[in-house]
Amino acid sequence: IAGSTGLILTGFGISDSIGDIPDIQYGEINQFQAYVALNPNLEKDEIDSFNEIIEKDERIEDHLLVTQDTATAEKEDLNEQEITLFVPNDPTQINDFVKLKDYESETVHTLDDSGAYLTQKLAQLFEVETGDTLEILGDNDEIWEVTVAGVVENHIGHTLYMTPAYYEEMTGETNDVPNLELIKYDPKALDETELGRELMDEDEVIGVNYVSDVAHSFSGTLDSLDL
């Protein structure tokens, strides 16, 4: 009886401790409503043209172009970890879309060219902190050294946030054609599906993902704990 009761209490404890994750991740940290994936073969003038369309759409409150790349990190006795490199075209806008809140305090960080901000779980797994260096691998197994500018709160996945200048310094690659646009709008004031269809009609767009769908999917996974 004592053992069974202990397991039940543990189950409730786990459920309570992670049940708020979708609201925190997709409400307090990520503060945008949709990801618009752009054709990777676009020229700069085509992106500028698409931005003009976004600017004229009164339903869209704000938008941010981002270069998103992938990398991995390896460590003995640890599974290979997949990492998202997140490079906003305008670093000054980052906290309007993704809140870079320090995981140990209420400090909200801003991006600069001195390094990248790591999400907390990645920092914990590789035992790094502000001022340390983390070695990651690019798509073609290039070795990139990342200076840790700080550690920020995050609950889903591993991400490195950095400026375009630092991305170019780290990778040696020019960051001039973003592949993602984040958009903000009031989901209660419009039909997301209709907006998504209209955006998909544009030649520059290859996909639209809604944050509400991602959050709902994650919540459904957590709901299975109730069983």
Side-chain angles (χ1 to χ4, degrees):
I1 292 173
S4 297
T5 303
L7 289 172
I8 291 172
L9 290 173
T10 300
F12 279 120
I14 293 173
S15 180
D16 288 343
S17 65
I18 65 176
D20 292 334
I21 283 178
D23 291 337
I24 296 172
Q25 186 71 40
Y26 299 111
E28 298 178 15
I29 297 175
N30 292 353
Q31 300 189 358
F32 53 93
Q33 281 67 54
Y35 308 80
V36 180
L38 303 176
N39 188 321
N41 299 315
L42 293 178
E43 299 292 338
K44 186 177 183 304
D45 61 331
E46 293 174 305
I47 293 177
D48 291 341
S49 176
F50 177 68
N51 259 338
E52 289 180 11
I53 295 172
I54 294 292
E55 291 278 359
K56 292 176 182 177
D57 195 322
E58 296 181 354
R59 296 168 298 178
I60 297 174
E61 298 171 0
D62 204 356
H63 60 98
L64 176 65
L65 286 168
V66 173
T67 297
Q68 191 164 283
D69 203 350
T70 57
T72 57
E74 299 176 348
K75 181 182 176 182
E76 189 176 353
D77 299 326
L78 183 67
N79 292 335
E80 182 179 87
Q81 302 294 306
E82 294 186 1
I83 303 169
T84 298
L85 307 183
F86 189 99
V87 189
N89 261 36
D90 182 357
T92 63
Q93 282 191 281
I94 183 66
N95 282 296
D96 294 331
F97 290 83
V98 181
K99 193 70 70 178
L100 298 185
K101 179 176 170 292
D102 192 277
Y103 86 111
E104 289 185 324
S105 70
E106 294 300 315
T107 302
V108 176
H109 297 286
T110 56
L111 294 177
D112 60 44
D113 301 336
S114 65
Y117 284 88
L118 278 64
T119 48
Q120 64 196 65
K121 187 65 175 179
L122 183 63
Q124 290 164 358
L125 287 174
F126 287 86
E127 301 177 314
V128 294
E129 55 187 25
T130 303
D132 290 344
T133 299
L134 175 66
E135 196 172 86
I136 63 175
L137 301 175
D139 287 339
N140 299 313
D141 291 332
E142 314 97 319
I143 298 176
W144 298 329
E145 290 193 350
V146 183
T147 299
V148 180
V151 181
V152 296
E153 181 181 355
N154 185 72
H155 301 280
I156 300 174
H158 302 314
T159 307
L160 288 175
Y161 300 96
M162 64 190 76
T163 64
Y166 187 76
Y167 175 83
E168 293 182 11
E169 176 187 333
M170 182 185 77
T171 65
E173 300 174 5
T174 302
N175 174 49
D176 55 0
V177 182
N179 54 15
L180 191 69
E181 184 138 31
L182 309 182
I183 57 176
K184 297 178 71 171
Y185 52 80
D186 182 357
K188 297 178 181 178
L190 56 80
D191 183 338
E192 284 189 317
T193 305
E194 181 182 348
L195 175 62
R197 281 198 298 263
E198 292 177 17
L199 290 172
M200 284 297 296
D201 287 339
E202 302 296 333
D203 293 337
E204 297 87 353
V205 177
I206 59 173
V208 178
N209 289 321
Y210 310 109
V211 170
S212 59
D213 287 346
V214 178
H216 181 73
S217 175
F218 193 80
S219 294
T221 301
L222 293 182
D223 287 344
S224 63
L225 286 173
D226 292 342
L227 297 175

